[in-house]
Amino acid sequence: MDFYEKQSPEVQKKTEWTLGLIRDLRVIPEKYFKHMEGIKGLFEIRINAEGNIFRIFSFFDKDNIVVLGNAFQKKTQKTPKGVIAKSFEN
């Protein structure tokens, strides 16, 4: 929620839209939800808003529930390992 609340209203709106899409669709386009290569069970929710790219790490619980983890603004092609590690804290 801290990350979400710091974003502009446009980014918040696009985040809510994307989460709704993931909630409602049976098959989610990879453009919005993708498995992280090389990390079993970790997925990223992909949001593109205001010319910026945002990612929210997530995983499944009992095959149904998407549990949201760390969120960040992506500034490079490769996801930094420290950002990935942060999603496994706590």
Side-chain angles (χ1 to χ4, degrees):
M1 284 306 294
D2 292 339
F3 180 83
Y4 173 84
E5 291 171 351
K6 291 177 185 175
Q7 303 309 313
S8 71
E10 180 62 32
V11 172
Q12 288 180 357
K13 183 177 177 180
K14 184 70 178 258
T15 300
E16 292 170 18
W17 180 86
T18 304
L19 292 174
L21 183 85
I22 291 167
R23 179 192 64 226
D24 296 339
L25 292 181
R26 189 169 182 82
V27 177
I28 306 159
E30 198 172 271
K31 177 179 179 179
Y32 302 108
F33 189 72
K34 183 178 178 182
H35 178 258
M36 294 287 298
E37 291 182 25
I39 305 172
K40 185 178 179 180
L42 185 64
F43 295 81
E44 63 178 4
I45 296 170
R46 309 170 87 177
I47 301 162
N48 191 342
E50 295 183 335
N52 294 304
I53 299 170
F54 302 90
R55 298 291 188 253
I56 303 171
F57 288 131
S58 58
F59 54 93
F60 286 91
D61 182 25
K62 299 185 181 177
D63 297 326
N64 284 333
I65 303 168
V66 176
V67 177
L68 305 179
N70 188 33
F72 64 101
Q73 182 176 354
K74 191 167 182 182
K75 297 180 180 181
T76 63
Q77 280 295 99
K78 193 165 181 138
T79 302
K81 292 184 182 194
V83 174
I84 295 171
K86 187 174 181 181
S87 67
F88 290 104
E89 292 177 357
N90 296 332

